[in-house]
Every structure is written in C-alpha cells, then in structure tokens.
Amino acid sequence: MIYKIDQVNWPYAFPEKPEVTVEVSNDHEAIMLKWHVRGEQLRAVTTEDQGPVWEDSCVEFFCQVPGDDHYCNFECNCIGAMVGSRRKGRAEDVVPFSPAEMARIERKCTYPREAFDEKDGMFEWTIEERIPLDLIFRDKAPVFPQVLKANFYKCADKTKRPHFVSWRPIDLPKPDFHCPQFFGEITLL
C-alpha cells in the first residue's frame, strides 16, 4: 500500500509541503517502508542513531498496536541516522531502543551516511527501512498484525523552511507528532 504524506497542519506558520510518499509492505517478520521524497532543501547534520534527526531532512513512522497504551516512533534522516523508542507520550515512559536493537533496523538510503550542512535546490531521495516486528511487539510474542494504528510524517525542524507534514491530519495549535489520538489505521495483509 502507498500512502501520501500531504497534510499541512500548520499552514500559516509552516506552509512548506514537499512531495512525500511511503510504500508499506511486510514479510511477516518485519515491516518494510520505502520512502520517496522530493523537496527544496536537504540537511543531514546528525550521523549517529538516537541523535536529533528531526532537525534534518527527516521521515518518521509512528505506530501502535491496537489496544496498547504505548506506541513506537521510528525517525530517520536522509542519510540513515535514526531515532527509535517505545513510549506512552512525548516525554512519558520513554524507552529508547538499545544500540543492538537499532542495528537490527535495516536502512538503505540515497545518500551515504556522511554529514552535510543544508543545501539549497531541488532534491529527490529515498529511504528503505526494514523494521523487525518484535521491536513493535516488545513485551509480547510477535504475532503479525493485520492492522496497526499509525501516522507518517516528514519534517525538517532546523532548515531554512521548516515543515511538519503528516499523512493523517493533526488538530493541535502547534507542531507535535507525538499524538496517537490522531493516528489512522494501516492494513498489513
């Protein structure tokens, strides 16, 4: 299934809208995401996992098993540095994935994992991620879900044109992606 990330939730303050899609598939052991991005700036300062990748050109997948009060966030910049955790909210009960768990998330990116300051121009890039299901089902036996609650995002907080675009709309006064009440449902068959 292909999802289009095109909701500009705060148009007056952050009108920028890059073209973003994500293709979601599975192999019953992992969820695969293939992101396609086309936008007017590119930044990749963070090279290490669990660093502030959201400040760079970044794509994000947040998901929640129906009935669970925790969700997982997977945030990846355009060179493959990633943040990952299981949490109840932005700052509530946050458990970052360990270095060994982060290493299990396969990433293939258009750009090599080398830092660079913001570049102006038109850029197209892709990221492919393979996220093992047992990271999402951390406290349970991994049973392949047919449905997950989720949202997909594109952001770039520290660029000349910061943006905060989502798949499902977010009805809040300022940018915040840590809001599972606005997740939609994705089918993984």
Side-chain angles (χ1 to χ4, degrees):
M1 177 73 84
I2 297 176
Y3 299 91
K4 191 172 184 178
I5 294 72
D6 61 358
Q7 297 294 309
V8 178
N9 299 289
W10 303 278
Y12 298 108
F14 305 104
E16 190 76 12
K17 183 180 166 186
E19 297 172 28
V20 185
T21 60
V22 61
E23 182 178 352
V24 180
S25 60
N26 70 80
D27 64 6
H28 296 278
E29 292 179 5
I31 294 173
M32 279 84 74
L33 307 174
K34 185 169 185 177
W35 298 87
H36 297 272
V37 181
R38 186 172 189 271
E40 290 189 33
Q41 72 258 359
L42 195 66
R43 180 184 192 264
V45 174
T46 301
T47 59
E48 299 299 320
D49 283 348
Q50 304 296 24
V53 297
W54 59 88
E55 296 176 351
D56 294 338
S57 300
C58 182
V59 292
E60 302 182 356
F61 170 56
F62 287 26
C63 65
Q64 183 177 45
V65 176
D68 196 344
D69 60 352
H70 287 73
Y71 64 93
C72 295
N73 61 299
F74 302 94
E75 309 172 25
C76 190
N77 71 7
C78 62
I79 60 172
M82 182 178 264
V83 166
S85 69
R86 181 173 162 78
R87 58 180 65 220
K88 208 170 191 176
R90 173 175 288 284
E92 184 182 358
D93 199 14
V94 179
V95 179
F97 293 126
S98 70
E101 290 170 320
M102 293 299 293
R104 294 180 53 225
I105 302 172
E106 298 173 26
R107 296 158 248 179
K108 182 180 173 186
C109 305
T110 300
Y111 298 101
R113 199 153 174 176
E114 299 169 2
F116 56 85
D117 290 325
E118 185 172 353
K119 300 176 183 182
D120 290 319
M122 185 58 70
F123 299 93
E124 291 191 40
W125 47 281
T126 62
I127 295 177
E128 295 179 39
E129 300 169 287
R130 184 178 185 276
I131 303 169
L133 279 176
D134 63 355
L135 293 180
I136 297 168
F137 287 86
R138 186 171 212 147
D139 301 324
K140 304 168 187 69
V143 176
F144 190 78
Q146 293 185 7
V147 174
L148 280 177
K149 294 175 68 180
N151 210 342
F152 303 100
Y153 311 107
K154 168 68 180 81
C155 64
D157 293 26
K158 297 280 182 167
T159 60
K160 291 176 191 169
R161 288 186 284 240
H163 51 272
F164 305 91
V165 184
S166 64
W167 167 56
R168 303 298 306 151
I170 300 170
D171 186 18
L172 294 173
K174 63 182 184 178
D176 187 355
F177 292 159
H178 289 272
C179 46
Q181 68 270 32
F182 298 112
F183 288 2
E185 286 190 352
I186 61 173
T187 302
L188 302 169
L189 297 177

